[in-house]
Amino acid sequence: AAGVIQSPRHLIKEKRETATLKCYPIPRHDTVYWYQQGPGQDPQFLISFYEKMQSDKGSIPDRFSAQQFSDYHSELNMSSLELGDSALYFCASSPSERRSENIQYFGAGTRLSVL
Amino acid sequence: AQKVTQAQTEISVVEKEDVTLDCVYETRDTTYYLFWYKQPPSGELVFLIRRNSFDEQNEISGRYSWNFQKSTSSFNFTITASQVVDSAVYFCALSATDSWGKLQFGAGTQVVVTP
């Protein structure tokens, strides 16, 4: 079965650079979530989209932005990168409607290293 | 606001032993969902089980079983006859109606299974 696809899997950037992470949800899933997992920490919710509209926002820095496109894939844009942005970034998708019962299926993550 | 507490940081067992992971949650919502996810060393997050707040029936699925007790706000997870491949970080997570699917994770419990 198709899973959530994230690209790239690994990314190395310098401080103050920008990065773009991409997420392709499971087919027919129209809700996408982004999470950030720092070293040794639990995943923290950043932002979510439902039907191409932002549906919820967590502790996402103003330097980050995201959007969901017409084909439901999503991109997380990160600017002015800081050392503290080094983390594993997960995208998850769930079936239609913003519902708390939906199982979120996670991609393999993008490991971002800021040097 | 929701909160998930996993008091056990790490559990070490020998293969074939049972291992029980504790999870205590807090929420003001009457409708919520509880999840267990597994994060093996490769890093991906794998969905294991889901339980809703109205169903306290405990179940067994293969080597996995769970004990949901609303009275104590606990959602414990047991792996029976552990195997080396069970070595991973296990996260308990909560999703409540007012958060539209945003997962609140616990800190995770590292399970180490040795041969």
Side-chain angles (χ1 to χ4, degrees):
Chain A
V4 177
I5 305 297
Q6 289 188 248
S7 67
R9 291 294 311 279
H10 302 275
L11 192 57
I12 299 175
K13 291 287 185 179
E14 300 278 342
K15 280 196 309 182
R16 293 179 287 277
E17 286 189 323
T18 61
T20 297
L21 310 185
K22 296 185 179 182
C23 169
Y24 297 86
I26 292 172
R28 292 181 295 282
H29 283 195
D30 57 11
T31 305
V32 169
Y33 306 83
W34 286 97
Y35 293 83
Q36 177 193 57
Q37 185 180 27
Q41 299 179 3
D42 56 289
Q44 295 289 318
F45 172 77
L46 292 177
I47 195 168
S48 62
F49 292 88
Y50 164 62
E51 277 292 341
K52 293 156 280 185
M53 298 288 289
Q54 179 183 307
S55 61
D56 205 352
K57 201 171 182 180
S59 50
I60 182 170
D62 292 339
R63 299 177 289 108
F64 294 7
S65 65
Q67 58 182 325
Q68 186 179 31
F69 295 86
S70 57
D71 63 351
Y72 297 108
H73 93 272
S74 177
E75 295 183 2
L76 177 65
N77 299 294
M78 310 159 71
S79 62
S80 302
L81 288 169
E82 302 173 356
L83 296 178
D85 296 329
S86 295
L88 188 55
Y89 290 83
F90 285 108
C91 172
S93 74
S94 67
S96 58
E97 299 181 30
R98 302 178 303 151
R99 298 174 65 172
S100 55
E101 69 192 67
N102 286 335
I103 297 169
Q104 292 181 31
Y105 295 93
F106 284 77
T110 293
R111 187 168 296 281
L112 173 66
S113 298
V114 182
L115 306 179
Chain B
Q2 289 85 34
K3 184 178 180 182
V4 177
T5 301
Q6 294 180 252
Q8 305 152 307
T9 304
E10 180 171 329
I11 300 176
S12 293
V13 297
V14 177
E15 215 171 12
K16 297 183 183 176
E17 288 183 339
D18 296 349
V19 56
T20 295
L21 309 180
D22 298 334
C23 174
V24 174
Y25 62 92
E26 294 176 31
T27 180
R28 293 181 180 175
D29 275 295
T30 55
T31 302
Y32 52 88
Y33 294 82
L34 296 161
F35 303 80
W36 278 96
Y37 281 86
K38 172 183 178 181
Q39 187 173 38
S42 50
E44 72 271 24
L45 275 168
V46 180
F47 164 76
L48 295 178
I49 57 174
R50 174 189 63 182
R51 176 59 71 197
N52 73 61
S53 54
F54 296 106
D55 185 357
E56 289 191 69
Q57 181 179 352
N58 296 311
E59 292 186 19
I60 297 174
S61 175
R63 295 189 298 110
Y64 298 154
S65 62
W66 48 96
N67 186 348
F68 174 37
Q69 295 202 353
K70 214 168 176 178
S71 60
T72 57
S73 298
S74 65
F75 184 52
N76 299 336
F77 176 69
T78 297
I79 304 171
T80 303
S82 61
Q83 301 174 2
V84 173
V85 292
D86 295 326
S87 296
V89 178
Y90 290 81
F91 290 99
C92 180
L94 168 71
S95 172
T97 304
D98 71 345
S99 61
W100 294 109
K102 177 175 62 179
L103 287 173
Q104 178 68 50
F105 286 88
T109 298
Q110 173 80 58
V111 172
V112 179
V113 182
T114 54

